[in-house]
Each structure stands twice: as structure tokens, then as C-alpha cells.
Amino acid sequence: MGYFLLLFALAVTPFALYHWRKRARRTRLLAQRLSAEERARMHALVPLTRRLPPELHERLEGRVCLFLDQVDFTALGGLQLTEEMRLSIAAQACLLIIGTELWYDNLRAVLIYPGAFKSRTQQHSGYVVTEQETVRLGESWSHGRIVLSWQHTAQGAEDDEDGLNVVFHEFAHQIDDLSGSTNGVPLLAEGQSFEDWERVFLKAYRDHVRRVERGAQTLIDPYGATAHEEFFAVVVELFLERPAALKADEPEVYAQLSKLLGLDPAGWDGT
Ligand SMILES: [Zn+2]
């Protein structure tokens, strides 16, 4: 019996040690802060970070440190990877989740193209497979990969009041995917009612589709009318970049996102 216990302990110890080290590293990184130089650079690259209340700013810095440690960045298409790119993407991605305990557990790689890039998708219909090439600004994959256009990433961060931000959009898909599928229904916050979420989002989505079909002007990007998950991603962009407008037009959507992300950006300075 003692012999088996010893074998068991020998087999389990390396795993336990690995997880303990991983947890300790995570705790250390979350407590870490950016240097004064990095902080100034982040504020210049992502002006929205300057408006954060101090306690959220602290949380952002720790998460940025963890993100930069976890994720591999690769520049493609002749682009040279810079610290600015890493910092800008990490800051925007982490801004989404600073009010929650959510984390991008599965995310491993961010690929960056200089500008809009072509992406091939396959559609299967019986034995027929058709390949389509589409031009994209960003792409989110459920197996831990994000692809971004640097030109649009930088522009999206620089103009933080136009409601368009490709990093918020793609990372909203990552948050959505934490529930097991990217379908516009993310894992809700503790105590958040699924019935309320469903009622609010279904109605808002249907209203939006109708307005877009009529050719009406909409605050929400018409692209949101293509699918529930796209609707979720575009309202997240608005929530952070035009919170007052979203709150005025769609108060219930704003309130649901506020609960989900634990944030109230309409109350931040200058928004
Ligand atoms: Zn999308």
C-alpha cells in the first residue's frame, strides 16, 4: 500500500508543482505595475485608459502584465513587431474585462497584419465545398488566436469616441466564446438573470435588424444585424466608446452590458 502511495505521490507531484508555479506567477503578474514610461506610452496609444477611475487603472496594469506574459505576438506581411503594438493590443483587450474576474484562458497568439487582410473561409454544402475570400480588419478564433490589422487597431484606439474599435470587437468574441460557443450569449455575471439578458438582447437585435432592413440610420453598426454574435460585439464597441449614446438609445442593453462587464463607462471622465 505504502509503495503505491509513494508511486502516486511521485506521479502527481510534478503536476501539482506546475500548477502551483503557474498560479504563483499569475498572482505576481497581476500585482505588477507598468513602468512610468510604459504607462505614458499606453495613455498615448489608448487614450481611453486615461479616463479610467484609479482602482480600475490599477487592475488594468496588472492584467496587461499578465496578458503580455501569456500571449505570443507575431507580425506578418512585412510588418515589424514593436512594443507599441504589444502594449496597445494588450491594453485594449484587458480594458474589456477589468471589471470582472474573466480571463482569456485559451488565448495564445495574436497575429498582426499591416492593414486589412484577406481571409479564406470554406462553406460545406453536402459534397460541395466552396471557398470564399473576404477582406477583414480582424478575426477571432475559438482555439486561442486573434488576427488584427495594425492600421485599424491603432486608428480604433486613437479615435475612442466613434464607437468603432476592432480590438474590442474581436475580444468581445473571445469573451462570448468563454461560454463554449460564440453565439452572442456569454457567461453571465454572478446574479445576472439569463431571462433578462435574453429578453433585452433578442428584442434589441430584432429591432436593429428591422431598422437596417428599412435602410434607417442606426447608432448600432449595421454589421450587427448579420448575426447575434456580431450584434453583441458591435454593442460592446459602443458601450466603451459611446456609452452615453448607447445608454440614451438602448438603456436596457447598456444596463445588461454594465452588469456583465462590471463597468459604468458613461460615468467616466470626459465621456
Ligand atoms: Zn465579428
Side-chain angles (χ1 to χ4, degrees), residues 121-132:
T121 47
Q122 284 190 339
Q123 278 177 337
H124 297 254
S125 170
Y127 292 109
V128 183
V129 180
T130 42
E131 244 191 15
Q132 231 189 353

Side-chain angles (χ1 to χ4, degrees), residues 169-170 173 223 229-230 233:
H169 184 104
E170 301 309 334
H173 285 319
Y223 184 59
E229 59 273 25
E230 297 307 339

Side-chain angles (χ1 to χ4, degrees), residues 125-171:
S125 170
Y127 292 109
V128 183
V129 180
T130 42
E131 244 191 15
Q132 231 189 353
E133 202 173 61
T134 36
V135 175
R136 291 181 188 274
L137 313 181
E139 223 171 36
S140 167
W141 296 83
S142 34
H143 50 270
R145 204 169 63 159
I146 290 266
V147 192
L148 293 166
S149 147
W150 172 242
Q151 185 198 337
H152 298 90
T153 295
Q155 273 169 9
E158 204 177 303
D159 186 345
D160 57 6
E161 291 179 357
D162 63 356
L164 300 171
N165 183 304
V166 67
V167 180
F168 292 159
H169 184 104
E170 301 309 334
F171 279 85

Side-chain angles (χ1 to χ4, degrees), residues 172 175-179 181 183-189 194 197 232 260:
I175 291 175
D176 189 358
D177 191 62
L178 290 172
S179 65
S181 71
N183 57 5
V185 187
L187 285 176
L188 298 180
F194 176 75
W197 174 278
F232 172 67
L260 177 79

